[in-house]
Amino acid sequence: MRKIFFDHISTTPVDERVLEAMLPYFREYYGNPSSHIHEQGQYALRAVDGAREKVAGLIGATPDEVIFTSGATESNNLAIKGVASAYAHRGKHIVVSEIEHFSVLNALMPLMNRGFEVTYVRVDETGLVDPDEVRRAIRDDTILVSVMHANAEIGTIEPVEEIGKLTRERGVLFHCDAAATGGKIPIDVNRMNVDLLTLSAHNMYGPKGVGALYVRDGVRVDPLLDGGFQEKGLRAGTENVPGIVGFGKAAEIAIDEMDADAERLRHLGKALWDGLARRVEHIHFTGHPEKRLPGHVSFWVEFAEGESLLIFLNLNGVMAASGSACSSNLKAKDEEELVASHVLKAIGVPSDICTGSITFSLGKWNTREEVDYVIDIMPGIVKRLWDISPAYADYIRQQSGGQKS
Amino acid sequence: MRKIFFDHISTTPVDERVLEAMLPYFREYYGNPSSHIHEQGQYALRAVDGAREKVAGLIGATPDEVIFTSGATESNNLAIKGVASAYAHRGKHIVVSEIEHFSVLNALMPLMNRGFEVTYVRVDETGLVDPDEVRRAIRDDTILVSVMHANAEIGTIEPVEEIGKLTRERGVLFHCDAAATGGKIPIDVNRMNVDLLTLSAHNMYGPKGVGALYVRDGVRVDPLLDGGFQEKGLRAGTENVPGIVGFGKAAEIAIDEMDADAERLRHLGKALWDGLARRVEHIHFTGHPEKRLPGHVSFWVEFAEGESLLIFLNLNGVMAASGSACSSNLKAKDEEELVASHVLKAIGVPSDICTGSITFSLGKWNTREEVDYVIDIMPGIVKRLWDISPAYADYIRQQSGGQKS
Amino acid sequence: MSIGPYSQKVMEHFMNPRNVGEIEDASGVGEVGNPACGDMMRLYIKVEDGIITDAKFRTFGCGAAIASSSMLTEMIKGKTVEEALKITNEAVAEALDGLPPAKIHCSVMAEEAVKKAIEDYLQKQKEKTGE
Amino acid sequence: MSIGPYSQKVMEHFMNPRNVGEIEDASGVGEVGNPACGDMMRLYIKVEDGIITDAKFRTFGCGAAIASSSMLTEMIKGKTVEEALKITNEAVAEALDGLPPAKIHCSVMAEEAVKKAIEDYLQKQKEKTGE
Ligand SMILES: Cc1ncc(COP(=O)(O)O)c(C=O)c1O
Ligand SMILES: Cc1ncc(COP(=O)(O)O)c(C=O)c1O
């Protein structure tokens, strides 16, 4: 059976060139960058610094402003908690959008227990944050605004430049979670006026276990992990050298290929969107129709439950996600709250006819043929679920003027 | 030139079998374990759970008690800060040895700013913690004792079983940093009576960027990284799947080969120790002569500065460390405090004739021939430094009854 | 085949659910859940001489919910009303070779559905007798 | 060759330090640092007609300390006392093609050593004149 991976938003395959770049750092150059009096450590140190330049280059930063972490979750936690701790004397108010990733939203919880206040800025039905709402939310004691670059579940790209402009005017720090966009669409920390920016390697054809936090020169962040003097003292712990090298290589490749890839993905995404719109009844697309991640198509179908759809898709070789990867985590203790994601709620999706959106997120190796295949199988899968759905039966009865049995 | 890596305490080469086990998770199985409705995610989830069983097996724990982290520094921070936060209502006193790694000692700093008190238990001149001192340090409001399994700089193995027994008696949690011992000497969390234990993959022929924290069933730890529901909610963030798989494989190999390796390393270590004792004048070995890590030989030489020794060793192809890897990190802001490590100070090494110990830490692929080579070159290197040392010149003059010029 | 977090048995029932549909002249109907919470199960039973002679369902929900419904209908067919009332969610889950922890509530729904359907049946019986 | 954090020039001076030793009838001696702090430098100068005609050193310390000492002796030889007093730590570091940030203090030591040696020389001169 053909296998079609349409779940690049949860993670991406590692580019073979990235893996090739990493391999020597498992085999020949296994040193610890902190033990760099000798040759092995020196190779490792140079490799890390080389990767730092590349990652900095991807976002228009200087290498000194890039802190390597274990991933986007850590970067978000470091940004939120680190700024909160370093600037608590100035104020204890933080503004975020209501559709931030859990690693931003949940990082705020311990802060709220310590007296911080949070204003959640609403989004419209396409998932867009209104910069004016951000402006209104900023108070005299606001120290930080955090708005993501793009939302993974619904694909909407936020107006971060405008938000950056106004936070700069108001003298408030601006953090942007770019886990979903890094390496996929252009990022320029200066044009965006961001002070902190989260990147994730495994979302851009790099390895898992590595991320970065851009910290603008002069911005203070208290470390989350105390210990050695790595990463300018902002992130202790022996560096994940092969992972960082892989991240660097992924950044280098992205700089070269991002634009062409994005163009292709935009076309494929449009073909998928249009095909589904034509072939699947009762489909509702989520997110903004134009301001969205290239190759990202998200939607929900009335009377069809998300997980069941995903399982049938998988039985047909198609891998997709139900919104954010977390939402499909069956290990969660409290499943109830995961059913309709906070993102869907925020964009006003009616929870009585929708449980879970489907996110098709395409990657650089997906083809038009795969898109056509998925368009072809969707109607049949949806039909199967409708056939056993009590609500759909009621709906049909209603349409034909019948009665609920 | 031959290259001899005698710095396994700062990091180890990745075992080729470990790398082989990891590779499929970069290439074929790149899924995100949280997105496990589909096949890719499912492979990833199973891989992580499989590794968890192996790591648990290495230390006599159950898989549910193993939390994967990004490394020993994170594990130590999670243990110290996580327990402090979860048990602050019971008390705000923590007991640690004075020779803990920076990732324990520095993790205490933010706690002390929040009202925690810390008692530092002294070590004797061999680096041993006296369990009775620990007993005396425990107060009614003590919630945690943290003593490392072995110290990386001087190799001393601490009496953790005895400490575990008494903390258990006193109803105080016991955390043990086993970053330097995991996979090298046997660890049994039940025999040791530990409640939390730190492991590091890259110190046992596994990859960098992965570690684990053992958390005994029933012990509460507040997370450091908030976000998704990974690792039972104790450690958010997409799992470093290939890294975790590598860690699992390294654990599996260690279970099989640790005893034989340790035996060999003990012999090599003894040969190195004896050879240096015979051939190098004014040498002072550090740490305990018997209760020490296999293949670990640490010492300092009067009138010979550590970094210079290391550079000359490296020029001769021999890679070693100056105590903890941090101590040789020239990027540190405050170099002064790094000169004589806190460990050397703790064991009473006179700081006016010693600057920096040398740590030779052997690994499973080192040979007797390499040991002999190092013994051969050491006297010449030391002599070279003495020849330009003013203090040595004074010493020689003194010996011959002369005067300081 | 087993897929995702589910046993082969769950998948088998998910892909080929038994007894999907409605019973025109059902003796009792039980409905539990609510689409807003992600799942809804509607169970129809036909009772003759105190024995459940037929059972059908429609379910909106995840794989476990559909499989639990399907398994439940198989389990109650041929049982007396009293026997059917004793079916626990554990029994449903066990018959499916287990469910992931987060999905146990689906088997609970199945248990509740049969209880409600029988309640409905008994209520209707009472109404009939009362007439 | 460059190794670790050091430039080729530093390594060259570290491996083959120039002017190691003592000057029996030194005109001035400057000692800075302290082994407890990791480094100690002792500089001997010979001054004739206000010109430094010879310089020797002994240093205990890291690679940068040894290289800075060696470079310093090369730099001051042939200079007048006044010229030598103007040598800055930056000049020493620059002559070595740079030092890592954490090692700048080694070049500072070198600057201080020459100042102290000259001070000692001037002091001795005064004492001589004073006699
Ligand atoms: C926008 C965004 N931020 C952060 C994260 C967290 O990433 P990770 O799990 O790799 O730490 C995700 C992952 O889905 C994301 O989509
Ligand atoms: C005993 C001990 N604990 C913790 C650490 C920190 O390990 P890492 O830098 O891999 O996080 C080290 C590293 O040297 C160590 O020796």
Side-chain angles (χ1 to χ4, degrees):
Chain A
M1 188 171 56
R2 67 196 300 162
K3 301 286 181 188
I4 300 180
F5 191 72
F6 270 15
D7 189 14
H8 291 83
I9 200 74
S10 84
T11 193
T12 54
V14 174
D15 190 308
E16 191 63 32
R17 293 166 291 179
V18 166
L19 182 56
E20 289 306 320
M22 294 170 69
L23 287 178
Y25 293 89
F26 287 113
R27 292 192 168 118
E28 295 97 305
Y29 309 122
Y30 47 79
N32 180 331
S34 292
S35 199
H36 64 252
I37 287 294
H38 60 64
E39 194 167 295
Q40 274 291 348
Q42 193 62 24
Y43 288 134
L45 181 63
R46 283 194 201 133
V48 168
D49 284 345
R52 201 186 305 282
E53 276 177 34
K54 289 174 188 169
V55 172
L58 179 68
I59 57 172
T62 63
D64 266 3
E65 297 172 316
V66 172
I67 305 299
F68 286 116
T69 68
S70 67
T73 291
E74 185 185 333
S75 295
N76 282 342
N77 273 263
L78 177 57
I80 301 289
K81 296 174 183 172
V83 163
S85 164
Y87 291 89
H89 61 282
R90 275 216 204 145
K92 293 192 157 193
H93 181 242
I94 295 176
V95 176
V96 301
S97 92
E98 56 179 346
I99 62 168
E100 293 304 302
H101 187 259
F102 288 124
S103 51
V104 167
L105 295 180
N106 290 347
L108 294 164
M109 298 299 168
L111 297 178
M112 285 156 84
N113 291 334
R114 290 198 275 128
F116 279 82
E117 286 176 68
V118 177
T119 299
Y120 299 91
V121 173
R122 308 267 296 258
V123 295
D124 69 15
E125 72 289 348
T126 65
L128 276 181
V129 170
D130 177 354
D132 275 334
E133 288 242 18
V134 174
R135 188 193 308 274
R136 280 191 291 274
I138 294 175
R139 315 189 311 208
D140 284 346
D141 60 344
T142 304
I143 53 172
L144 179 68
V145 168
S146 182
V147 174
M148 68 203 322
H149 196 189
N151 182 281
E153 182 167 358
I154 58 172
T156 302
I157 296 175
E158 302 298 343
V160 286
E161 284 187 36
E162 291 159 58
I163 297 169
K165 206 179 294 167
L166 73 93
T167 50
R168 183 59 49 92
E169 280 165 20
R170 294 292 299 265
V172 170
L173 294 177
F174 177 32
H175 167 248
C176 178
D177 174 1
T181 52
K184 294 180 183 163
I185 58 175
I187 292 177
D188 183 319
V189 291
N190 293 317
R191 221 172 21 139
M192 281 162 63
N193 276 315
V194 293
D195 299 297
L196 305 111
L197 183 127
T198 291
L199 289 174
S200 166
H202 78 88
N203 290 310
M204 48 181 274
Y205 311 100
K208 294 178 177 60
V210 203
L213 182 66
Y214 159 79
V215 181
R216 186 176 288 280
D217 190 31
V219 171
R220 279 176 311 111
V221 173
D222 283 346
L224 271 183
L225 301 185
D226 295 294
F229 300 91
Q230 293 91 349
E231 302 294 312
K232 302 195 292 174
L234 285 185
R235 205 287 180 181
T238 296
E239 296 87 341
N240 176 356
V241 180
I244 289 170
V245 167
F247 192 7
K249 185 69 190 179
E252 183 183 294
I253 294 172
I255 292 170
D256 284 350
E257 304 181 358
M258 175 165 57
D259 290 345
D261 285 341
E263 189 56 25
R264 261 194 71 245
L265 286 173
R266 241 173 243 119
H267 276 99
L268 288 181
K270 182 160 177 7
L272 181 55
W273 179 303
D274 291 346
L276 293 175
R278 231 179 10 249
R279 300 276 307 274
V280 180
E281 274 185 284
H282 302 299
I283 191 170
H284 299 261
F285 293 94
T286 56
H288 197 281
E290 282 99 40
K291 294 175 186 163
R292 57 188 301 109
L293 283 170
H296 186 291
V297 177
S298 53
F299 58 88
W300 56 279
V301 180
E302 290 179 40
F303 318 115
E305 191 270 344
E307 191 205 274
S308 292
L309 271 178
L310 288 180
I311 297 179
F312 272 124
L313 281 167
N314 186 53
L315 288 170
N316 284 279
V318 180
M319 293 170 261
S322 174
S324 78
C326 286
S327 309
S328 56
N329 191 340
L330 298 179
K331 287 189 153 180
K333 289 247 174 54
D334 191 353
E335 209 224 5
E336 291 306 311
E337 64 174 86
L338 296 179
V339 169
S341 84
H342 69 291
V343 180
L344 294 190
K345 275 185 203 148
I347 59 172
V349 170
S351 64
D352 57 333
I353 45 169
C354 162
T355 48
S357 66
I358 300 294
T359 299
F360 286 137
S361 45
L362 279 59
K364 66 199 291 177
W365 297 295
N366 286 129
T367 63
R368 175 64 199 240
E369 217 198 326
E370 291 175 327
V371 166
D372 291 338
Y373 174 78
V374 171
I375 295 170
D376 273 349
I377 62 168
M378 274 297 288
I381 291 175
V382 166
K383 180 76 173 44
R384 257 178 108 151
L385 290 174
W386 284 348
D387 280 349
I388 55 174
S389 163
Y392 186 74
D394 294 346
Y395 165 79
I396 291 297
R397 258 188 292 271
Q398 257 173 26
Q399 290 298 98
S400 55
Q403 261 288 85
K404 184 172 155 179
S405 79
Chain B
M1 186 172 56
R2 67 193 302 162
K3 301 288 180 187
I4 300 180
F5 191 71
F6 271 14
D7 190 13
H8 291 83
I9 200 73
S10 85
T11 194
T12 54
V14 175
D15 191 309
E16 191 61 32
R17 294 167 290 179
V18 166
L19 182 55
E20 288 305 321
M22 294 170 68
L23 288 179
Y25 293 90
F26 287 114
R27 291 191 168 121
E28 294 98 305
Y29 309 123
Y30 48 79
N32 180 331
S34 293
S35 199
H36 64 252
I37 287 294
H38 60 62
E39 195 168 294
Q40 274 291 349
Q42 193 62 25
Y43 289 135
L45 181 63
R46 284 196 201 131
V48 168
D49 284 344
R52 200 185 306 282
E53 277 178 33
K54 290 172 187 170
V55 172
L58 180 68
I59 57 173
T62 61
D64 266 3
E65 296 173 316
V66 172
I67 306 298
F68 287 116
T69 68
S70 69
T73 291
E74 185 186 332
S75 295
N76 282 342
N77 273 264
L78 177 57
I80 300 288
K81 296 174 183 172
V83 163
S85 163
Y87 291 90
H89 60 284
R90 278 216 203 144
K92 293 192 157 193
H93 181 242
I94 295 175
V95 175
V96 300
S97 92
E98 57 179 345
I99 61 168
E100 293 303 302
H101 187 258
F102 287 124
S103 51
V104 167
L105 296 179
N106 290 348
L108 293 165
M109 298 299 167
L111 297 178
M112 287 156 83
N113 291 336
R114 290 197 277 129
F116 279 81
E117 286 177 67
V118 177
T119 299
Y120 299 91
V121 173
R122 308 267 296 256
V123 295
D124 70 14
E125 72 288 351
T126 65
L128 276 182
V129 170
D130 178 354
D132 276 334
E133 289 243 17
V134 174
R135 189 193 307 276
R136 279 191 291 273
I138 293 176
R139 316 189 310 209
D140 285 344
D141 61 343
T142 304
I143 53 171
L144 179 68
V145 169
S146 183
V147 174
M148 67 203 324
H149 197 189
N151 182 282
E153 180 164 1
I154 60 173
T156 301
I157 296 175
E158 302 298 343
V160 285
E161 283 186 37
E162 292 159 57
I163 296 169
K165 208 179 293 166
L166 73 91
T167 50
R168 184 57 51 91
E169 281 164 20
R170 294 291 301 265
V172 169
L173 293 177
F174 177 32
H175 167 248
C176 178
D177 174 2
T181 53
K184 293 180 181 163
I185 58 175
I187 292 177
D188 183 320
V189 290
N190 293 315
R191 217 169 26 136
M192 281 162 65
N193 276 316
V194 293
D195 299 296
L196 304 112
L197 184 126
T198 291
L199 289 173
S200 165
H202 78 88
N203 290 309
M204 48 182 273
Y205 311 101
K208 295 179 178 61
V210 205
L213 182 66
Y214 159 80
V215 181
R216 186 175 290 280
D217 189 30
V219 171
R220 277 176 313 113
V221 174
D222 284 346
L224 269 184
L225 301 185
D226 295 293
F229 301 90
Q230 293 91 349
E231 301 294 312
K232 302 197 291 172
L234 285 184
R235 205 287 180 182
T238 296
E239 297 87 341
N240 177 354
V241 179
I244 289 171
V245 166
F247 191 7
K249 185 70 189 177
E252 182 183 293
I253 294 171
I255 291 171
D256 285 350
E257 304 180 0
M258 174 167 56
D259 290 345
D261 284 341
E263 188 57 26
R264 263 193 70 245
L265 286 173
R266 242 174 242 117
H267 277 101
L268 288 182
K270 182 161 179 8
L272 181 56
W273 180 304
D274 292 347
L276 293 174
R278 231 176 13 248
R279 301 276 306 274
V280 180
E281 274 185 285
H282 304 298
I283 191 170
H284 299 261
F285 292 95
T286 55
H288 197 280
E290 281 101 38
K291 294 175 188 164
R292 58 187 300 107
L293 281 171
H296 185 291
V297 178
S298 53
F299 58 89
W300 56 279
V301 180
E302 290 179 40
F303 317 115
E305 191 269 344
E307 189 204 277
S308 292
L309 270 178
L310 287 181
I311 298 180
F312 272 126
L313 280 167
N314 185 53
L315 289 170
N316 284 278
V318 180
M319 292 169 261
S322 173
S324 80
C326 286
S327 309
S328 56
N329 191 341
L330 298 177
K331 289 191 152 179
K333 290 250 174 51
D334 191 352
E335 209 225 3
E336 290 306 309
E337 63 173 88
L338 296 179
V339 170
S341 82
H342 68 291
V343 179
L344 293 190
K345 275 185 202 149
I347 60 173
V349 169
S351 65
D352 58 332
I353 46 170
C354 161
T355 50
S357 65
I358 300 292
T359 298
F360 286 138
S361 46
L362 279 57
K364 64 197 296 177
W365 297 294
N366 287 130
T367 63
R368 175 63 199 239
E369 217 198 326
E370 292 174 327
V371 165
D372 290 339
Y373 174 80
V374 170
I375 294 169
D376 273 351
I377 62 169
M378 272 298 288
I381 290 175
V382 166
K383 179 78 172 45
R384 257 179 108 150
L385 289 174
W386 285 348
D387 281 351
I388 54 174
S389 165
Y392 185 75
D394 294 346
Y395 163 81
I396 291 298
R397 258 187 294 269
Q398 255 173 29
Q399 290 299 97
S400 56
Q403 263 287 88
K404 184 170 156 176
S405 81
Chain C
M1 69 172 283
S2 108
I3 186 132
Y6 293 133
S7 71
Q8 209 166 324
K9 200 71 152 280
V10 171
M11 283 309 294
E12 219 267 300
H13 275 265
F14 173 71
M15 290 191 293
N16 305 297
R18 328 292 198 256
N19 311 308
V20 173
E22 304 175 6
I23 297 177
E24 283 293 325
D25 54 340
S27 317
V29 182
E31 188 174 301
V32 291
N34 160 351
C37 299
D39 32 33
M40 175 179 165
M41 197 179 282
R42 194 181 289 158
L43 177 71
Y44 302 80
I45 54 173
K46 177 94 196 155
V47 184
E48 288 169 309
D49 299 330
I51 290 171
I52 298 174
T53 54
D54 198 8
K56 290 208 183 297
F57 80 95
R58 281 201 202 277
T59 288
F60 168 84
C62 64
I66 290 169
S68 296
S69 317
S70 166
M71 177 53 82
L72 178 77
T73 55
E74 290 279 271
M75 288 170 79
I76 59 175
K77 276 210 274 187
K79 285 219 165 51
T80 65
V81 166
E82 289 72 32
E83 284 167 346
L85 277 172
K86 284 188 197 132
I87 290 175
T88 59
N89 75 298
E90 286 92 350
V92 176
E94 207 172 290
L96 288 166
D97 293 345
L99 286 174
K103 294 296 184 179
I104 292 297
H105 74 275
C106 295
S107 58
V108 173
M109 271 182 50
E111 180 188 327
E112 286 170 1
V114 71
K115 292 211 159 65
K116 280 214 173 170
I118 291 174
E119 221 168 79
D120 183 45
Y121 156 72
L122 294 175
Q123 183 65 28
K124 278 179 182 152
Q125 285 296 96
K126 224 192 281 173
E127 281 164 19
K128 264 188 206 159
T129 329
E131 276 167 8
Chain D
M1 70 171 285
S2 109
I3 187 133
Y6 293 133
S7 70
Q8 209 166 325
K9 201 71 154 281
V10 171
M11 284 309 296
E12 219 269 299
H13 275 264
F14 172 71
M15 291 191 294
N16 305 297
R18 330 291 200 256
N19 310 309
V20 173
E22 303 175 5
I23 298 176
E24 281 295 323
D25 54 343
S27 319
V29 182
E31 188 174 300
V32 290
N34 160 353
C37 300
D39 32 31
M40 174 178 166
M41 197 178 283
R42 197 181 287 157
L43 177 70
Y44 303 80
I45 53 173
K46 178 94 199 153
V47 182
E48 288 168 310
D49 300 330
I51 289 172
I52 298 174
T53 55
D54 199 7
K56 290 209 183 293
F57 80 97
R58 280 204 203 275
T59 289
F60 167 84
C62 63
I66 291 168
S68 296
S69 317
S70 167
M71 178 53 80
L72 179 78
T73 55
E74 290 280 272
M75 287 171 78
I76 59 177
K77 277 209 275 187
K79 287 220 163 51
T80 65
V81 167
E82 288 71 32
E83 285 167 344
L85 275 173
K86 285 188 197 131
I87 289 177
T88 60
N89 74 301
E90 286 92 350
V92 176
E94 205 172 292
L96 288 166
D97 293 343
L99 285 175
K103 295 294 184 179
I104 293 297
H105 75 273
C106 296
S107 59
V108 174
M109 272 183 50
E111 180 189 328
E112 286 170 2
V114 70
K115 294 211 155 67
K116 280 212 173 173
I118 291 174
E119 222 168 76
D120 182 46
Y121 155 74
L122 294 174
Q123 183 66 27
K124 279 180 182 149
Q125 287 294 97
K126 226 193 278 171
E127 279 163 19
K128 265 192 206 151
T129 333
E131 273 165 11

